[in-house]
Amino acid sequence: MNQPMLHARGINKSFLLHLQGGVRLDVLHEAELAVGAGECITLAGASGTGKSSLLKALYGNYLVDGGEILIRHLGQQVDLAAAAPELVLAIRRTTIGYVSQFLRAIPRIAAIDLVAEPLVDRGASGHEAKLRAAALLERLGIPSRLHGLPPATFSGGEQQRVNLARTFICPWPILLLDEPTASLDTTNRNRVIDLIREVKSQGCAIVGIFHDPQLHDAVSDLRLLFSESTAHSRT
Amino acid sequence: MTTLLKAHELRHSFGATPALDGVSLEVRRHEILAVVGESGSGKTTLLNVLAGRMNADQGTVHYHDGANLRSLSELGERELHRLQRARWGFVEQNPRAALRLNITAGGNIGERLMAAGDRHYGNIRAIATHWLEQVEIDPKRLDDLPMNFSGGMLQRLQIARMLVTEPELVFMDEPTGGLDASVQARVLDLIRSLVRRLGLAVVLVTHDIGVARLLADRLIVMRQGLIVESGLTDQVLDDPHHAYTQLLVSSVLPA
């Protein structure tokens, strides 16, 4: 692999729960991961072994206690683990996209506007952004009669596809995917697989948590197995 | 240089009770900073000091006017008022405290424009109409008295009045605190879209962490006059480190 897009090393993370009598949960211990352009790494292992925590740390959503998260951001290498909030926000605007398991719906905002918003933030006209949002929603099987409605009332699978569309509408050098097909049927899962393969072929570096074996087999290049000891081993 | 406002070691007491006990922070251009904490944590005092509405016992607040970083205490009263009338805005929790209920909606908006120096009646009317539309109030209500407006409309009118001079820095004190939940969503959505579109910097005081999550880039958690935790909004709320922040986050009922 030439220079990785994302290289995390020596990652330690624990939670100190003050309200539970100061219990300390050690979640990640010296975790390491590197992913290059056009490559997809999956985090595998039982629930509670720290997969989601690592993914959240890679997005700056969890603060790590130690280690580096080196990222290629606008042609330069930066350490997300040591970055000030403004830099983390800038990285999230242009370099790292993240698809969470659940859509955080915003009251009153229509699905199509929610999906178009990241493009508008990047300077696209409202009209162009909406056209692209509509096309992507259609591609993900969300019929146009739903586009104008706020997604709070959508089914779990529909919300998940709106969530995916909101991220996939922009090109990202790095994508973090947390179970993007958990509530989808086979047809829709296959649509998402196509989409992931497409961005991968365009050079996107992907780190994902995929419990779905079909999705995993279709897109993953390398599997990192997480275990109770929280350090991973390669398979 | 993107710092817009910079507070250093602010201290203030009401009698024996410290409201600010050494608070330092920066507000950057185009950033939305939320200050959360329980009643009595000092967050409203902080907002009033930052906005130049009261002086702290100790400490300094500097404002970057585009060319220089200037201390609020060194600005004369006239210059401070000019800032507050044009380049800054303040949104009160209770719109009745900010609006004049016995003059028309258009008059309320126009008043701020005139205070900022505009004298052309036709201009003022056209601009007032434009801002009523921006806050989703029917322009036909331009000549109506706000005393007949609902709570949500009054809050939107207050926002229009404040935005009419196109400020760069806005202070908000529980802007949706007095509203019904259904109205609250509309006002929040409006604030969210206007702030993004106009590129405003905002200091937002709220006790509602849902409001902070929706609107703010960065978050400051205050308790007993101190900043106990600060950082990216989602990071502080999803991975709170301080015992008080953990309590705050875990006390919220999921919707």
Side-chain angles (χ1 to χ4, degrees), chain B residues 119-130:
Chain B
R119 290 286 180 269
H120 187 286
Y121 179 76
N123 261 350
I124 292 175
R125 225 179 137 75
I127 295 171
T129 304
H130 167 77

Side-chain angles (χ1 to χ4, degrees), chain A:
Chain A
M1 183 168 58
N2 41 24
Q3 194 174 22
M5 290 301 296
L6 182 158
H7 187 180
R9 58 188 177 207
I11 301 296
N12 293 313
K13 173 66 187 167
S14 61
F15 294 97
L16 184 57
L17 308 178
H18 294 283
L19 307 181
Q20 280 75 37
V23 173
R24 200 180 124 127
L25 299 176
D26 292 307
V27 182
L28 296 169
H29 178 68
E30 297 294 317
E32 176 159 4
L33 167 161
V35 57
E39 204 183 23
C40 176
I41 291 190
T42 48
L43 313 182
S47 295
T49 50
K51 306 183 297 293
S52 274
S53 291
L54 179 57
L55 210 61
K56 286 174 176 170
L58 298 180
Y59 196 56
N61 180 234
Y62 283 0
L63 279 185
V64 298
D65 304 326
E68 292 178 318
I69 301 170
L70 303 174
I71 282 166
R72 301 282 306 164
H73 171 60
L74 305 176
Q76 286 192 315
Q77 184 169 279
V78 295
D79 181 3
L80 183 84
E86 311 80 73
L87 180 56
V88 177
L89 288 175
I91 290 170
R92 289 179 181 182
R93 267 194 299 274
T94 55
T95 300
I96 305 186
Y98 176 80
V99 181
S100 58
Q101 284 184 55
F102 302 103
L103 175 72
R104 201 179 275 282
I106 301 170
R108 286 215 322 152
I109 299 192
I112 192 163
D113 294 320
L114 206 57
V115 173
E117 200 174 69
L119 265 189
V120 175
D121 286 349
R122 288 189 181 193
S125 76
H127 179 68
E128 186 204 335
K130 275 198 185 197
L131 284 178
R132 289 185 43 193
L136 186 53
L137 283 169
E138 290 279 352
R139 181 173 170 186
L140 284 166
I142 306 282
S144 57
R145 65 187 161 79
L146 293 180
H147 294 185
L149 304 176
T153 52
F154 290 8
S155 73
E158 286 163 347
Q159 290 198 11
Q160 190 162 41
R161 282 173 282 148
V162 171
N163 206 18
L164 279 157
R166 184 172 154 85
T167 300
F168 276 84
I169 193 151
C170 293
W172 298 98
I174 301 168
L175 262 182
L176 309 174
L177 306 175
D178 194 350
E179 296 202 49
T181 58
S183 0
L184 301 187
D185 58 36
T186 312
T187 314
N188 283 313
R189 183 232 288 139
N190 291 339
R191 289 170 167 153
V192 174
I193 288 176
D194 275 353
L195 211 52
I196 296 176
R197 278 184 162 155
E198 190 175 297
V199 298
K200 212 181 138 190
S201 71
Q202 291 159 358
C204 180
I206 299 172
V207 182
I209 300 173
F210 307 140
H211 285 311
D212 175 352
Q214 265 94 1
L215 171 62
H216 174 271
D217 294 348
V219 301
S220 180
D221 299 306
L222 180 71
R223 211 159 90 108
L224 296 182
L225 189 61
F226 281 61
S227 63
E228 199 56 53
S229 69
T230 66
H232 64 263
S233 56
R234 292 186 174 215
T235 58

